[in-house]
Amino acid sequence: MPATIPVNSVNYSAPQRQLGLRLLRLREQRGYSQAELARALGLSASYLNQIERNKRPLTPAVQKKLGEVLGDVSTLFDDDEPAALQESLGETLRDLGLADVSATELRALAGNLPQVSRALLDLHRRHLALREHAAALEFQLGEPGAGSTLPAGDQVREFFNRMHNHIPELDELAEQLFAEWGLAPGHVAPRLRQLLADRHGVLVEVAALQAGREKRQYDAGSRTLWLPDYLEPGQQAFQMAVELALRGYLPQIDAVIARTGFTDEARIAQARIGLSNYFAGALVMPYMRFLRAAEASGYDIELLAHQFGVGFEAVCHRLSTLARRSAPGLPFFFIRVDRAGNVSKRHSATDFHFSQVGGSCPLWIVYEAFNQPGRILTQTARMPDGRRHFWLARQVSSGPVGHGQPRKTFAVALGCDLQHADRLVYSLGLDVQSPGNSVSIGPGCRVCPREDCMQRAFTQLPGR
């Protein structure tokens, strides 16, 4: 007989705001649409929808019925630690090629053998470090096929870098659709919401979703695209544009993927994500309108964010894509890091390529941004080969608003060759050309030749 959950105070160890999203995930794992589960529970679809949106409580009666219909529903009431451990185990096993491990198996491993689970996660972290070390050695020695051992996401980023972070056919398509749909900068969301409903039968709802890596959730049963309520209108428009790209313009995206040479599913899937995001940025910030506004403002990022209704990071990312041959923008490189030094985004509209390995330089201004939130910091930096660049950096964060709410925090940096610095509003009043004002930085200790650096953490790998 299906398991039921006794109702007591232990059941409420997870905050109520988490239960709705956990129920949605559990329903999808068990293969129920929202309407199907509502019928099985004897509820209306709208009532269940409100539970999943945390608009109604998960009552003891509904809990009991859930146990009868779905079986074991104890994951709804997991403490944060086991739930987080189970999620990390899932990601680790998928990275190792074990994508078919069930949630039940993961829960059993995390719950019954937590020390073994943590040891497995630690071994995987060491595996990633060794993989990165091997890739660094390949790059340093100039081995053919260097970088092939890197994760799929890094290989997809390398494709974007080879394209100077500019995909002309997607930019042109987005610009054409912007005009065809009668869109206006900063006011894109209402029209995209209408297009999703009219052309694809997809409703867009905004709700207080649990913070996580995904900024949108699609419920196939109700054909509803759920967006978290903390997103600004421009960010909502971006997520709707991604959905439109995947639903209406997948052939155009796959045509780009065809010339990447990717054949395995992991890289193809990563490429689809990257290209659909590229299309969304190009639709919300159409090329020529955005370029003219950028040039007129001296590349004032906060002003551009205001004009196009998007965030600071989105503008920085878009500025790194303006490489149209007939109308190029200022050639930027863009990077995003977290406090631990993990690089989650790096793009370049020039021949400048970020080190894929060896970490990042602690003398780089991007890390100082964490210490001065809200401020745009600047730096003239000198690389080991003598090239000098102008950088600006700022901390950015996203997530639910309110005291105690979890938020993601990053620092983003935008850089260009020093010869272009005088075109930026951020260089006004600075003596950026003086060699004495440059900070010596490097591409990461494992590939940096600066032996006299006080901040060196590792010796340089053997090679050149």
Side-chain angles (χ1 to χ4, degrees), residues 340-411:
N342 300 306
V343 179
S344 50
K345 286 185 181 180
R346 55 171 176 262
H347 297 288
S348 175
T350 74
D351 289 325
F352 178 93
H353 292 292
F354 299 100
S355 172
Q356 298 194 57
V357 292
S360 296
C361 180
L363 301 176
W364 201 1
I365 195 67
V366 68
Y367 295 107
E368 179 61 25
F370 288 111
N371 298 326
Q372 302 187 51
R375 291 190 59 195
I376 298 177
L377 309 180
T378 61
Q379 180 185 58
T380 302
R382 183 175 59 251
M383 297 296 288
D385 61 3
R387 289 183 301 165
R388 291 192 295 162
H389 305 106
F390 184 77
W391 288 96
L392 58 96
R394 203 193 85 171
Q395 178 182 300
V396 297
S397 61
S398 64
V401 178
H403 178 70
Q405 293 285 351
R407 292 178 65 81
K408 299 179 183 179
T409 302
F410 300 98

Side-chain angles (χ1 to χ4, degrees), residues 138-276:
E138 288 176 353
F139 276 103
Q140 191 75 355
L141 297 175
E143 290 290 329
S148 60
T149 58
L150 290 171
D154 284 342
Q155 295 176 43
V156 171
R157 290 190 196 104
E158 279 308 292
F159 163 72
F160 274 93
N161 285 336
R162 291 197 303 272
M163 297 295 295
H164 288 179
N165 203 28
H166 178 68
I167 312 297
E169 52 265 65
L170 294 186
D171 249 313
E172 291 164 9
L173 174 62
E175 214 166 15
Q176 171 193 331
L177 293 174
F178 189 93
E180 180 183 315
W181 293 341
L183 302 179
H187 304 281
V188 176
R191 178 66 172 135
L192 297 190
R193 183 191 297 263
Q194 179 186 358
L195 287 165
L196 278 171
D198 294 346
R199 297 191 175 191
H200 304 289
V202 173
L203 300 179
V204 178
E205 294 285 353
V206 177
L209 304 180
Q210 181 183 5
R213 294 183 63 185
E214 301 300 330
K215 291 186 178 178
R216 67 182 188 279
Q217 297 170 14
Y218 180 69
D219 185 342
S222 62
R223 298 187 66 81
T224 301
L225 178 67
W226 293 98
L227 302 178
D229 60 357
Y230 60 80
L231 294 183
E232 297 294 334
Q235 295 172 312
Q236 294 177 13
F238 183 94
Q239 297 301 328
M240 286 186 264
V242 171
E243 196 70 24
L244 278 168
L246 294 174
R247 291 183 175 276
Y249 302 96
L250 199 55
Q252 290 89 332
I253 289 174
D254 284 346
V256 177
I257 295 175
R259 70 171 190 264
T260 65
F262 297 157
T263 55
D264 59 287
E265 285 302 318
R267 285 188 293 175
I268 289 174
Q270 287 282 346
R272 281 204 182 109
I273 293 171
L275 291 169
S276 61

